[in-house]
Amino acid sequence: MKNNNENRIIILAPNNISDIYIEALKFSFNVENIILVSDERDNEYRDNLINEINNDKNISKVIFFDYCYIYHQLIQRISNKKDKFIIIKNAISEMNSSYIYNYIKYYLEYLDRGIIKKIAFLDPNFYLEKNDKLIGLKLDIPVEQQTQEYKNNFGIISYDFYEYHNFFNQASAIEKITDDSINIFSPCNITKTFFNDFEIKYNSYDTLEEIINNSKVILYINFCYTDILYLLRCIDKNKVCFMGNFNYNEKYELLNNLLVISSDDDINEIAQKTSITNDKKKLAQILKLQKEFRQEYSDLSKKEIVRFLQV
């Protein structure tokens, strides 16, 4: 997909989004920069941004990623000569938040009024394709190979502070099968107390990327809101990644059987399935299938990006 100066795409995103989303947006849409938007109620900042976009004749498409309060003004005041699109990263289970529910409702209203051309959802459970303006979308990231030796067997890339993530069950399951330290994201005080009380050893890291780099096996078994970009990173770095609330397609039923946890809070099932990584033959088979899935995902992502931008 080309993005030349005469037909330029720009992407706006909240200034607190994860680096992996910035990487995915740049790569998927072939843009050099993402405009990171401040959510401060600054009229001068907002007006300058609107004028800058409207006055640039080379900008043909504007993509709004996720949500900022300032988007309401931007969406309505950026010229309709520029096609406007929205990408929603929330999981459908997060609709129990009135904050998330309300801003998605506003987005759908903008779509009905013709202000927005299309809305795409990253969560495949979220959308119902009633028409070609409300679709699913797969973002992709560039392949990044492993450049260092891992330090520990197991890493958890779920957050301990996030209620939709199943952190403590995963840690307890690993503790059942190994005495090795677990690689985790910087823990809160409650987590530190939990690990000390149950004598679970851990290594703390500041980013999920560091956990992936320093682990042989990754656990990402969440109650909901599973971000596939981290699965892709694990596959690229030749790591086995156990998932919850995720389904490979029928071609990869073996991966579903071996790597996807049926009951997200079942410690015994998590422990049993993760123990298969000791089987070298099975491990090689898993890694091979993961690579095949990865290539098919990237091919499909390219097609979905093209479809999303068609008006």
Side-chain angles (χ1 to χ4, degrees):
M1 182 191 67
K2 295 182 179 180
N3 185 23
N4 56 50
N5 288 333
E6 290 76 29
N7 188 29
R8 197 153 62 93
I9 299 168
I10 64 167
I11 302 175
L12 287 77
N15 59 7
N16 61 349
I17 66 166
S18 303
D19 288 343
I20 199 167
Y21 278 117
I22 296 175
E23 184 180 4
L25 291 168
K26 287 181 179 179
F27 182 74
S28 300
F29 291 97
N30 191 27
V31 299
E32 292 184 1
N33 297 296
I34 307 297
I35 300 176
L36 297 178
V37 178
S38 170
D39 212 10
E40 296 178 5
R41 313 292 171 89
D42 186 330
N43 292 341
E44 183 179 359
Y45 168 80
R46 178 200 63 205
D47 293 344
N48 287 340
L49 183 57
I50 292 169
N51 291 333
E52 182 180 344
I53 294 172
N54 282 337
N55 292 334
D56 190 334
K57 304 302 181 185
N58 292 324
I59 296 174
S60 62
K61 293 178 170 61
V62 182
I63 298 173
F64 296 88
F65 180 77
D66 201 21
Y67 175 77
C68 274
Y69 177 82
I70 195 175
Y71 282 0
H72 291 292
Q73 288 290 326
L74 299 181
I75 288 170
Q76 295 180 81
R77 290 177 55 190
I78 289 175
S79 171
N80 286 332
K81 293 179 181 179
K82 304 178 189 299
D83 297 328
K84 287 168 277 189
F85 305 82
I86 288 173
I87 300 174
I88 295 172
K89 74 176 183 65
N90 299 98
I92 190 169
S93 51
E94 293 180 287
M95 291 288 278
N96 63 354
S97 161
S98 59
Y99 172 78
I100 293 172
Y101 176 83
N102 284 326
Y103 78 66
I104 291 177
K105 187 168 69 171
Y106 280 122
Y107 283 165
L108 294 173
E109 180 184 330
Y110 295 144
L111 183 69
D112 289 340
R113 290 165 56 188
I115 300 173
I116 292 294
K117 294 296 183 183
K118 286 182 184 176
I119 295 177
F121 295 94
L122 299 185
D123 179 4
N125 297 311
F126 211 131
Y127 64 91
L128 295 173
E129 295 201 39
K130 298 178 180 178
N131 54 57
D132 59 359
K133 295 182 179 180
L134 195 64
I135 64 173
L137 186 67
K138 292 178 173 61
L139 295 179
D140 198 4
I141 53 175
V143 174
E144 181 181 304
Q145 302 291 346
Q146 179 78 14
T147 57
Q148 63 192 61
E149 290 295 321
Y150 58 84
K151 295 181 179 178
N152 287 80
N153 277 340
F154 290 98
I156 299 173
I157 56 173
S158 305
Y159 294 119
D160 60 349
F161 57 81
Y162 194 35
E163 66 268 26
Y164 296 109
H165 284 183
N166 186 15
F167 177 85
F168 292 97
N169 295 61
Q170 294 175 78
S172 299
I174 295 173
E175 194 271 337
K176 284 175 65 71
I177 61 175
T178 182
D179 291 327
D180 291 344
S181 297
I182 307 169
N183 295 332
I184 63 172
F185 183 77
S186 181
C188 64
N189 289 332
I190 292 176
T191 302
K192 292 177 182 177
T193 301
F194 174 84
F195 275 45
N196 289 333
D197 287 346
F198 289 92
E199 299 181 343
I200 302 174
K201 294 177 291 185
Y202 68 92
N203 302 306
S204 173
Y205 292 93
D206 293 330
T207 69
L208 300 187
E209 299 275 357
E210 290 179 292
I211 297 172
I212 294 171
N213 287 337
N214 288 290
S215 308
K216 177 182 177 182
V217 178
I218 301 297
L219 274 67
Y220 192 36
I221 305 163
N222 304 327
F223 295 124
C224 68
Y225 196 68
T226 295
D227 191 333
I228 196 170
L229 297 177
Y230 288 109
L231 169 62
L232 301 181
R233 183 72 87 214
C234 292
I235 294 173
D236 290 343
K237 296 198 171 187
N238 227 33
K239 310 298 175 78
V240 173
C241 184
F242 291 89
M243 307 279 283
N245 274 292
F246 181 79
N247 278 301
Y248 292 92
N249 61 39
E250 292 180 359
K251 179 180 177 180
Y252 301 102
E253 192 58 33
L254 182 62
L255 293 181
N256 278 327
N257 293 335
L258 295 179
L259 301 183
V260 179
I261 308 301
S262 301
S263 178
D264 308 319
D265 59 354
D266 188 335
I267 294 173
N268 291 321
E269 183 190 1
I270 295 171
Q272 179 184 10
K273 285 198 170 181
T274 52
S275 65
I276 67 166
T277 53
N278 295 320
D279 185 331
K280 292 185 178 180
K281 184 177 179 180
K282 191 76 72 178
L283 183 62
Q285 187 180 19
I286 289 171
L287 293 173
K288 180 176 181 292
L289 286 174
Q290 283 189 159
K291 293 289 186 184
E292 292 177 10
F293 164 80
R294 172 67 164 108
Q295 183 59 56
E296 288 190 13
Y297 177 94
S298 293
D299 293 341
L300 185 57
S301 173
K302 291 183 180 71
K303 294 176 182 177
E304 291 191 358
I305 294 292
V306 171
R307 178 192 175 199
F308 176 57
L309 294 174
Q310 288 174 341
V311 292

